[in-house]
Amino acid sequence: MDFSTEKVKEFIDRCHPYFYYEGYGNRDEEIVMYYRLALEDVRQYLESLLYKEVLEGGYTGAGVSLLLPLEDMNIHVGIETAEDIEGMNGKREPGIIYTPIGKIDMYIYKEIIKEDNNPVRMLYESMIWTLSLIRSALSLEPDGLTEEKGILTEDWLRRYDDFMVVDPLELFRFDSLWGYWGDFFKGIVPW
């Protein structure tokens, strides 16, 4: 299947890691702009997968709902005309599963993990990596964040007078969900 990853790659290349330290300029607008552009690749990829699923599976529709920074992404595609429905097998929509990245069905999950360099996988893996970088940076501070001290919070990002992590995508909110889900994209389903 053909899909574009150019905007996701540009986001990763220009903005990774997606946080910076106070005093090093303001990059909020730049990071958010490239992030929103990267979401265009993600949306196009998922729409293509959903249309493929509908056609191959004989469904009347299918959808995904991704948990993402700043706002969730909800996509639904379907067959709309009576002529289109006539040729279908009468299946409504595939059952969804709740995953660390959102509500998807098994077909979409398998497609996402099958291809290493697809926009969804690239974006989430880079955000998960960024969370680990934030944790590492905070663990270096005196009385810093450790595994025993729990998950990231906004207080941890602003804890030190001379060191503040600026997180314009608010990735810290996803720490407990994504911080330890590296196996998700390897096809190991721990939930």
Side-chain angles (χ1 to χ4, degrees), residues 104-168:
I104 60 178
D105 61 51
M106 201 51 136
Y107 176 89
I108 298 298
Y109 175 65
K110 287 179 182 177
E111 289 294 315
I112 289 171
I113 65 170
K114 182 169 67 173
E115 178 68 45
D116 285 343
N117 293 316
N118 68 66
V120 172
R121 187 168 178 167
M122 290 170 63
L123 182 65
Y124 276 99
E125 286 180 340
S126 67
M127 290 188 294
I128 291 167
W129 175 244
T130 295
L131 279 171
S132 71
L133 291 176
I134 292 173
R135 283 183 148 281
S136 295
L138 292 176
S139 71
L140 297 175
E141 289 299 309
D143 192 36
L145 179 66
T146 63
E147 295 297 323
E148 298 81 40
K149 291 184 181 176
I151 61 172
L152 286 174
T153 63
E154 195 164 17
D155 291 339
W156 276 109
L157 301 181
R158 302 180 190 286
R159 189 172 179 120
Y160 305 100
D161 293 334
D162 59 338
F163 176 86
M164 183 177 101
V165 174
V166 182
D167 180 12

Side-chain angles (χ1 to χ4, degrees), residues 18-100:
Y18 319 129
F19 68 94
Y20 56 97
Y21 303 109
E22 185 177 58
Y24 287 90
N26 185 330
R27 296 189 58 217
D28 287 11
E29 288 181 24
E30 176 188 14
I31 290 171
V32 171
M33 178 194 73
Y34 282 110
Y35 169 71
R36 295 212 186 274
L37 290 172
L39 292 182
E40 293 174 13
D41 280 352
V42 171
R43 179 173 290 282
Q44 290 171 354
Y45 172 71
L46 288 172
E47 284 175 350
S48 296
L49 281 181
L50 288 167
Y51 277 116
K52 182 179 173 191
E53 178 180 23
V54 166
L55 293 174
E56 288 179 3
Y59 296 109
T60 57
V64 299
S65 181
L66 297 183
L67 296 170
L68 289 164
L70 306 183
E71 62 187 54
D72 293 344
M73 179 182 289
N74 300 299
I75 305 170
H76 188 271
V77 302
I79 306 300
E80 302 207 6
T81 65
E83 296 84 37
D84 292 334
I85 293 173
E86 232 176 80
M88 306 312 275
N89 295 330
K91 298 179 191 174
R92 290 287 176 221
E93 295 196 9
I96 59 166
I97 54 177
Y98 293 81
T99 74

